Amino acid sequence: MFDPSTAVVALRLKDATSWWDGVNESPVWQDRIFHLLAALYGIVAVVALVQLVRIQLRVPEYGWTTQKVFHFLNFLVNGVRCLVFAFRRDVQKLNPEIIQHIVLDMPSLAFFTTYALLVLFWAEIYYQARAVSTDGLRPTFYTINGVVYAIQIILWLILWWKPIPVLIILSKMFFAGVSLFAALGFLLYGGRLFLMLQRFPVESKGRRKKLQEVGYVTTICFSCFLIRCIMMCFNAFEAAADLDVLDHPVLNFIYYLLVEILPSSLVLFILRKLPPKRGITQYHPIR
């Protein structure tokens, strides 16, 4: 028996698919979407830079604190992404092909470092509050980042020498693993700090604000790195989910909006409070 509602649904799905394919295959729409991404990244980069300048003017005597480095890295990552998407069509023409991978993937590694720094900051606060030594945290942070960058560089060099599909899949799966590691880091230390603040005996406005700040940032960052991990897995094995090509602009827009632009914007907004001018101990220079 013919069901008219089924035919209507099928027709709508066909129209949606035609629209999606039409946008993806249109050079005009490709340029519009990539330029929109460039504009959004540019706005986030400017916000991070303005906040960095405000912090520097507020506490110039403390040098390069964790907070300042975090905002500087945000400015750097979003600024580079802005340039990449502004010249996306030119990036696709770079030879050898490995240069394209480096230009597209390096900001992702820097994004990992930026938010791993936030995990480090929270871990230091957590262990200091429990009177536990934090001497090993920074060397561990540098070691983890060094290993991640070293493995990725080795994969790039092998791909440059012999660009076989298996290695491209391995490179994408490696970054999916790195993203999962970052998500678990936020869940572990963000969760610990949140529970510690929740058990704090003194009720105050500052405590409530810090509790909300940690809870929101933990949720946002855990979600964005988990989504990145899942998307990188699809990207590795499904050609329709490939993010490194020009003819998937809609997918690129959704992906980068969810895993970088929105999280960065929300975190910068939540952490917008300036440090006090005096009497603060956690804002020490990075050595």
Side-chain angles (χ1 to χ4, degrees):
M1 183 177 177
F2 177 73
D3 187 352
S5 61
T6 304
V8 171
V9 170
L11 185 60
R12 287 179 178 174
L13 286 173
K14 184 178 178 181
D15 290 341
T17 303
S18 299
W19 173 86
W20 180 282
D21 292 339
V23 170
N24 281 336
E25 294 168 6
S26 168
V28 174
W29 274 105
Q30 290 170 8
D31 290 340
R32 284 176 180 173
I33 291 174
F34 289 136
H35 290 158
L36 177 58
L37 282 171
L40 292 173
Y41 273 114
I43 292 169
V44 178
V46 169
V47 170
L49 181 61
V50 169
Q51 185 68 352
L52 173 61
V53 172
R54 291 179 68 217
I55 296 168
Q56 175 61 24
L57 293 174
R58 185 69 174 263
V59 285
E61 64 273 16
Y62 287 110
W64 280 99
T65 65
T66 304
Q67 191 182 26
K68 290 178 186 177
V69 174
F70 174 75
H71 283 84
F72 173 74
L73 288 176
N74 259 297
F75 163 69
L76 192 65
V77 170
N78 288 283
V80 171
R81 282 284 194 216
C82 172
L83 293 174
V84 168
F85 281 112
F87 300 99
R88 185 65 182 85
R89 200 168 291 280
D90 296 319
V91 169
Q92 201 70 22
K93 298 174 184 176
L94 292 174
N95 283 305
E97 189 179 338
I98 188 61
I99 299 177
Q100 298 176 28
H101 290 289
I102 294 173
V103 170
L104 293 170
D105 293 344
M106 184 58 80
S108 298
L109 288 175
F111 185 86
F112 164 76
T113 299
T114 303
Y115 286 86
L117 187 65
L118 189 56
V119 174
L120 169 68
F121 184 56
W122 283 355
E124 287 179 334
I125 294 175
Y126 174 78
Y127 286 122
Q128 285 171 1
R130 296 176 65 89
V132 177
S133 174
T134 60
D135 293 343
L137 289 178
R138 286 183 180 269
T140 301
F141 169 79
Y142 296 135
T143 301
I144 290 172
N145 276 272
V147 169
V148 167
Y149 280 81
I151 292 174
Q152 185 61 71
I153 289 170
I154 290 170
L155 287 170
W156 283 335
L157 290 173
I158 296 172
L159 279 169
W160 183 28
W161 172 61
K162 196 171 186 180
I164 56 177
V166 174
L167 284 175
I168 295 175
I169 292 173
L170 183 61
S171 179
K172 291 177 179 179
M173 290 305 298
F174 168 70
F175 199 74
V178 170
S179 300
L180 180 61
F181 179 75
L184 294 176
F186 272 102
L187 192 63
L188 176 63
Y189 286 106
R192 282 181 170 184
L193 188 58
F194 182 84
L195 292 174
M196 184 183 73
L197 289 169
Q198 205 172 35
R199 292 194 297 266
F200 199 73
V202 179
E203 182 66 30
S204 66
K205 185 178 179 181
R207 171 190 168 276
R208 288 196 301 272
K209 282 189 174 181
K210 182 59 67 174
L211 191 66
Q212 290 175 347
E213 176 185 298
V214 172
Y216 289 149
V217 173
T218 298
T219 303
I220 291 165
C221 293
F222 172 76
S223 301
C224 91
F225 278 105
L226 187 62
I227 292 170
R228 185 189 286 270
C229 173
I230 294 169
M231 281 298 298
M232 288 306 295
C233 291
F234 279 109
N235 186 15
F237 296 104
E238 180 58 56
D242 192 356
L243 295 162
D244 297 338
V245 293
L246 286 174
D247 57 358
H248 288 160
V250 179
L251 184 63
N252 269 264
F253 181 79
I254 295 170
Y255 173 76
Y256 286 107
L257 188 70
L258 290 179
V259 306
E260 286 188 3
I261 296 171
L262 274 178
S264 296
S265 303
L266 291 172
V267 170
L268 287 172
F269 176 75
I270 293 168
L271 302 181
R272 68 192 182 280
K273 184 180 177 183
L274 295 175
K277 290 184 178 181
R278 290 186 178 87
I280 188 161
T281 57
Q282 67 263 39
Y283 292 93
H284 48 76
I286 290 182
R287 290 182 287 272

